[in-house]
Structure formats: C-alpha cells, structure tokens
Amino acid sequence: VQLQASGGGLVQTGDSLRLSCAAGRTSSNNGLGWFRRAPGKGREFVASISWRGDRTSYADSVKGRFTISRDYAKNTLYLQMNNLKPEDTAVYYCAVARSSTTSSLPDAYRYWGQGTQVTVSS
C-alpha cells in the first residue's frame, strides 16, 4: 500500500495550505489520520477522521485552525491548515488506521505515507 502525501511548502505566518494524501482502496473502510514530526521532536498526532467521516479528532494545538476531511470517490484525505504558525513547521504524514474509528495513537495505524514538508516562517 502506498500513500502519497502532497501539498507542503514554505509559507508565512498566517497563511494557509491544504495537504492531500492519496490513500488508495484499502482506506475505504478505515479511519485516516495526519501526524507530524518537527525537527528534534517525536511524532505528534494532528488529526483523524473515521471511515464514515462522521467523527473527527484534533490535537489541541491545531483545533480551530486545521480541518481534516476525506473524499471517498477519490480515496483521498485532506488537511486544510489555516492561520499557520512557525510551530506548525514539521514533516506531515498521513496514515491509514487499523480500524474504522479515529485514534490519536500511532500504533492504531497500519500504513504510513512518506511525509511532506511544511515550513512556516515568522
């Protein structure tokens, strides 16, 4: 299973970006999530969405600024990031959960994509 994340880049504080992740057919009945890893830090949960799309979960640090969504027809996961801050700088990873629900735990995810770099300058 290959997950292809895209949409990262270099932006300024307050700007927006939308990350995409082509998750493939194996994601159709599974929860999906976004994680990130900042330089010198461990992997951090960002957001997750259930397979029905009726439940979402966010890290406190991104609530109100980030929105996770999925397009079933395209088997694609999105992360709309608004009002970006320098502390959002990280490599962002998409992942397919082992089950249909949302989770903030990395162990709950079975497949991981390659990361896309997001850099927010002050």
Side-chain angles (χ1 to χ4, degrees):
V1 175
Q2 288 188 329
L3 303 178
Q4 185 73 32
S6 62
L10 172 62
V11 296
Q12 295 183 335
T13 298
D15 284 351
S16 298
L17 277 177
R18 188 176 80 157
L19 304 184
S20 300
C21 176
R25 292 183 179 181
T26 56
S27 70
S28 60
N29 295 318
N30 298 78
L32 298 172
W34 287 100
F35 289 76
R36 66 187 181 186
R37 188 188 297 272
K41 296 185 177 181
R43 186 166 45 187
E44 177 190 20
F45 168 74
V46 176
S48 63
I49 187 168
S50 63
W51 79 275
R52 290 182 183 273
D54 58 343
R55 283 181 289 176
T56 58
S57 178
Y58 296 92
D60 288 342
S61 58
V62 306
K63 279 182 182 177
R65 300 188 298 121
F66 290 12
T67 302
I68 189 171
S69 62
R70 62 191 299 173
D71 184 323
Y72 293 92
K74 297 180 179 179
N75 289 318
T76 301
L77 174 69
Y78 300 100
L79 184 68
Q80 177 66 43
M81 305 186 295
N82 298 328
N83 191 22
L84 283 161
K85 304 175 180 180
E87 50 264 45
D88 295 319
T89 295
V91 177
Y92 284 72
Y93 300 89
C94 56
V96 178
R98 300 178 188 275
S99 71
S100 62
T101 61
T102 62
S103 177
S104 63
L105 302 176
D107 286 348
Y109 292 82
R110 181 177 182 183
Y111 301 113
W112 293 82
Q114 93 295 348
T116 185
Q117 176 71 48
V118 172
T119 303
V120 185
S121 63
S122 58

